[in-house]
Amino acid sequence: MFQTFESQSSPEQGPPRLSALRAVMATRGFDAFLVPRADAHQGEYVAPRDARLEWLTGFSGSAGFCAVLHDRAGVFIDGRYRLQVRAQIADVYTPVHWPETQLDAWLSDHLTQGAVIAYDPWLHTVDEIAGLRKKLKDYMLVATDNLVDAIWDNQPPPPKAPFTAHALEHAGKSHDEKRAMLAADLEADTAVLTLPDSIAWLLNIRGTDIARNPVPQAFALLHKGGQVDLFAGAGKADDIRDHLGPQVAVHEIDSFVAALKDLEGAALIDPKTCPDLVATTLADANVEIIKGKDPCILPKACKNETEIAGAKAAQARDAVAMVRFLAWLDAQAPKGGLTEIDVVKALEGFRMQTNALRDISFETICGAGPNGAIVHYRVSQQTNRPVVPGELLLVDSGGQYVDGTTDITRTIAIGTPTDLHRTQYTRVLQGMIAVSRIRFPYGVGGQHLDALARAPLWMAGQDYDHGTGHGVGSYLSVHEGPQGISRRSEIALEAGMILSNEPGYYREGAFGIRIENLIVVIKAPALAGGDDRNMLCFETLTHVPFDRRLIDSNLLSFAERDWIDRYHADTLSLLAPRMDRQTLEWLTQACAPL
Ligand code: ZN
Ligand code: ZN
């Protein structure tokens, strides 16, 4: 499962591919062509066939885009990828810092008025194109077929593997029930669904089209009567026809556009994620368009009892793998000779030994020493670092199980930690505990809780440059909206939402610390004296010990210390029956009271 990102492209291939693209642009009369990272479904991962940005430029990051002009080509990347992009792209490409430099500003700097800017309308959302049109009034924005596909000789075929049914014992609610529930609230005659995880949730199906996210690549139309038209690649839904039943009709994916043209009444699209092509097709066919949220997103986020029970089972299983891994690391690392890649492979091995792992839930982040300070670090053969005593090791990883998706970060002391390591680790842990313990009234969003996780760092003049938490799917995407814990997360938290709780601290060139548990929003049990308001709180799903060597008890309040001791006691009682004798010995020590 471990990959060191063998690229479909190397820097030497950049210049000839760019020339070929420019030649096609010239014959079509285009002055610019946009190459985004996204596919038509706007997910975090793309199939090899859709990895156009990487094939053209060599850049393999999970976000970014390229704007090709005849005299220059800009690769737009955010702060995470500034180092990586230089190593991956040839010098015919210019890295552009995004969002500091916006695409429209860059295009108007380098194009003359009236220039023709071409784009593939499947790959850009309605909002993206509307935004560009507004800002680029003096230019012509033209939809075209994909020019990268036109020059890509051995473009891989679309993924062929069949979809599978997601059993009721894991989904908790049948797709009949879900379709009826959504249809009853639908403020249009049809909702156009283009997000694979929305379709996966609605129809209780899964797929293997994309690495790490078990989603089916498909489109769907949900009608007012609760019927669904599902558009999928040839044969991909053959095995699940019984599961889908008479209310769900299966069609070839190529007939999706024709079906859009035939729609009657009003169609709901989500402009933040819907391909621009869908909106223009509907408009050309005189179908009334209603812009609104994808109706699956909020109900998908609020997990039902079955899904929460599944998440707990998956977490306990994953915790056994994590604990065996941590015990192994404690025994092996002091001997020396381990590298980051060895650690990643070992951890994946322990997860595989659960015999239930479907996939890892994202590429494992394993950063030793200064590599731990690179927030989105992915080890490669070039960056692989030995794990040496006196340093910290940050490991952020997760698994996809049929009953749940996990995501956990632990920071581990290799050998003896320094006082600075311990102070910083304790502050990060205090922030994580503050979020874990908080009770809050209905209507509170993640933006109101974010500061709790940062307060111990803020008081010391410190902070971290990422959100505190993201939503997590149920055997779906490890990053799932709409809920989150960050300054920008306005969505009110509701019972059943699963989130990560992952504050960190990063000292460039030295070390990185992050501690991450998954938590679920529950109705808060009333206090002894009763609550004035209905309150919510979090229940912690992840049970894996923290590194006691890194906790400075003197910095903790009584309540924090008590929380840690109870967390460790719960962890021990939950996992003890699942442990072999040797690992249980390690776990018992790791879970001892402070
Ligand atoms: Zn994580
Ligand atoms: Zn996470």
Side-chain angles (χ1 to χ4, degrees):
M1 214 167 275
F2 174 74
Q3 298 171 329
T4 48
F5 283 97
E6 297 318 328
S7 179
Q8 299 197 59
S9 173
S10 60
E12 310 83 73
Q13 290 168 314
R17 288 175 183 177
L18 184 60
S19 306
L21 180 61
R22 283 178 172 150
V24 183
M25 285 165 55
T27 59
R28 306 275 190 98
F30 298 150
D31 300 298
F33 182 66
L34 307 180
V35 183
R37 162 61 160 52
D39 62 14
H41 308 282
Q42 300 295 324
E44 194 171 335
Y45 292 87
V46 294
R49 171 188 186 72
D50 293 314
R52 298 179 181 91
L53 179 66
E54 182 184 349
W55 181 83
L56 181 69
T57 67
F59 172 63
S60 68
S62 68
F65 53 94
C66 179
V68 177
L69 315 187
H70 283 290
D71 63 343
R72 70 192 69 223
V75 177
F76 291 68
I77 35 97
D78 64 40
R80 292 175 287 172
Y81 294 116
R82 277 176 202 168
L83 293 176
Q84 180 179 333
V85 77
R86 281 200 197 101
Q88 290 186 322
I89 63 175
D91 55 12
V92 290
Y93 293 99
T94 315
V96 182
H97 291 176
W98 180 87
E100 292 86 341
T101 303
Q102 288 286 314
L103 175 62
D104 58 287
W106 188 87
L107 288 170
S108 31
D109 276 353
H110 300 299
L111 289 172
T112 50
Q113 290 197 357
V116 180
I117 302 164
Y119 66 95
D120 177 347
W122 281 110
L123 308 186
H124 299 267
T125 66
V126 173
D127 273 359
E128 259 177 71
I129 294 301
L132 280 179
R133 280 193 195 284
K134 217 175 184 177
K135 290 174 189 156
L136 294 168
K137 285 203 178 75
D138 299 331
Y139 303 85
M140 278 178 61
L141 246 76
V142 178
T144 177
D145 55 310
N146 199 293
L147 304 190
V148 172
D149 294 4
I151 59 163
W152 189 346
D153 271 345
N154 297 308
Q155 187 174 21
K160 285 200 172 57
F163 301 159
T164 52
H166 187 54
L168 191 58
E169 60 170 314
H170 301 304
K173 213 175 230 176
S174 71
H175 67 82
D176 293 320
E177 224 181 314
K178 291 179 181 178
R179 286 186 288 103
M181 182 181 84
L182 258 53
D185 289 339
L186 204 57
E187 284 167 5
D189 295 286
T190 303
V192 182
L193 305 178
T194 62
L195 295 180
D197 66 338
S198 287
I199 296 166
W201 173 83
L202 178 64
L203 298 178
N204 289 340
I205 59 176
R206 296 294 185 267
T208 57
D209 295 334
I210 305 287
R212 314 315 181 212
N213 291 347
V215 293
Q217 274 201 333
F219 298 107
L221 300 171
L222 167 67
H223 302 288
K224 188 86 190 142
Q227 306 90 337
V228 164
D229 287 303
L230 174 68
F231 299 85
K236 290 176 69 111
D238 286 355
D239 296 351
I240 55 166
R241 288 200 188 242
D242 282 352
H243 162 79
L244 293 175
Q247 298 288 307
V248 181
V250 178
H251 311 272
E252 285 284 321
I253 201 157
D254 294 340
S255 64
F256 178 54
V257 172
L260 290 173
K261 291 178 185 161
D262 287 344
L263 286 181
E264 281 168 21
L268 172 75
I269 60 166
D270 188 334
K272 285 192 168 55
T273 51
C274 177
D276 186 59
L277 184 129
V278 171
T280 52
T281 303
L282 293 171
D284 290 347
N286 291 317
V287 178
E288 185 193 341
I289 295 176
I290 298 175
K291 289 183 183 175
K293 278 208 165 57
D294 176 329
C296 301
I297 289 179
L298 193 58
K300 168 164 58 67
C302 299
K303 275 70 180 173
N304 60 44
E305 277 172 33
T306 306
E307 289 170 318
I308 293 170
K312 288 179 181 174
Q315 288 285 347
R317 190 182 309 123
D318 198 62
V320 172
M322 275 299 294
V323 167
R324 293 186 62 205
F325 160 71
L326 291 171
W328 168 86
L329 188 67
D330 256 7
Q332 296 303 314
K335 294 184 200 159
L338 282 186
T339 67
E340 291 167 345
I341 290 181
D342 297 331
V343 171
V344 171
K345 285 183 173 165
L347 174 54
E348 287 180 9
F350 287 115
R351 280 209 166 89
M352 230 108 78
Q353 284 172 27
T354 63
N355 290 323
L357 185 73
R358 296 297 176 96
D359 195 353
I360 54 174
S361 59
F362 57 96
E363 304 303 332
T364 302
I365 297 172
C366 174
N371 283 346
I374 306 169
V375 173
H376 288 264
Y377 177 66
R378 301 288 194 274
V379 58
S380 66
Q381 299 293 352
Q382 291 76 40
T383 62
N384 192 19
R385 207 169 181 285
V387 175
V388 294
E391 291 191 343
L392 298 183
L393 182 70
L394 185 158
V395 183
D396 186 351
S397 67
Q400 290 286 7
Y401 303 94
V402 73
D403 45 3
T405 302
T406 70
D407 180 6
I408 173 172
T409 311
R410 287 294 179 265
T411 302
I412 306 118
I414 307 299
T416 311
T418 65
D419 288 346
L420 181 65
H421 290 153
R422 300 180 74 228
T423 306
Q424 289 309 129
Y425 182 93
T426 307
R427 284 181 183 141
V428 172
L429 183 58
Q430 286 175 298
M432 204 214 68
I433 293 170
V435 172
S436 308
R437 292 180 59 214
I438 194 67
R439 308 168 89 246
F440 52 95
Y442 280 73
V444 161
Q447 63 181 7
H448 303 115
L449 305 183
D450 185 61
L452 294 168
R454 299 177 194 269
L457 291 163
W458 284 356
M459 294 308 281
Q462 298 162 341
D463 200 3
Y464 50 92
D465 294 322
H466 57 75
T468 299
H470 54 83
V472 178
S474 181
Y475 187 38
L476 278 178
S477 308
V478 77
H479 294 139
E480 178 182 282
Q483 74 274 28
I485 303 176
S486 79
R487 253 169 267 189
R488 284 175 304 193
S489 190
E490 294 171 11
I491 290 282
L493 295 174
E494 292 186 39
M497 287 178 168
I498 295 180
L499 294 122
S500 71
N501 173 12
E502 49 179 313
Y505 173 78
Y506 309 92
R507 183 165 286 225
E508 206 184 323
F511 61 86
I513 293 166
R514 184 161 62 250
I515 308 172
E516 174 180 28
N517 277 349
L518 297 192
I519 52 182
V520 59
V521 181
I522 59 169
K523 276 186 189 158
L527 294 178
D531 289 323
D532 285 358
R533 310 267 174 98
N534 288 324
M535 304 294 277
L536 295 166
C537 67
F538 295 116
E539 180 180 354
T540 296
L541 296 172
T542 308
H543 284 96
V544 172
F546 308 116
D547 192 333
R548 294 169 77 259
R549 295 164 294 195
L550 286 167
I551 300 174
D552 183 348
S553 303
N554 297 321
L555 296 176
L556 300 175
S557 69
F558 174 80
E560 287 165 342
R561 203 178 154 135
D562 181 56
W563 187 92
I564 295 168
D565 283 344
R566 272 193 293 143
Y567 178 80
H568 279 154
D570 290 348
T571 300
L572 182 60
S573 64
L574 176 74
L575 300 183
R578 300 157 175 264
M579 289 288 159
D580 58 274
R581 210 163 47 99
Q582 211 183 347
T583 318
L584 181 58
E585 232 167 76
W586 182 92
L587 181 67
T588 307
Q589 280 181 7
C591 290
L594 289 175

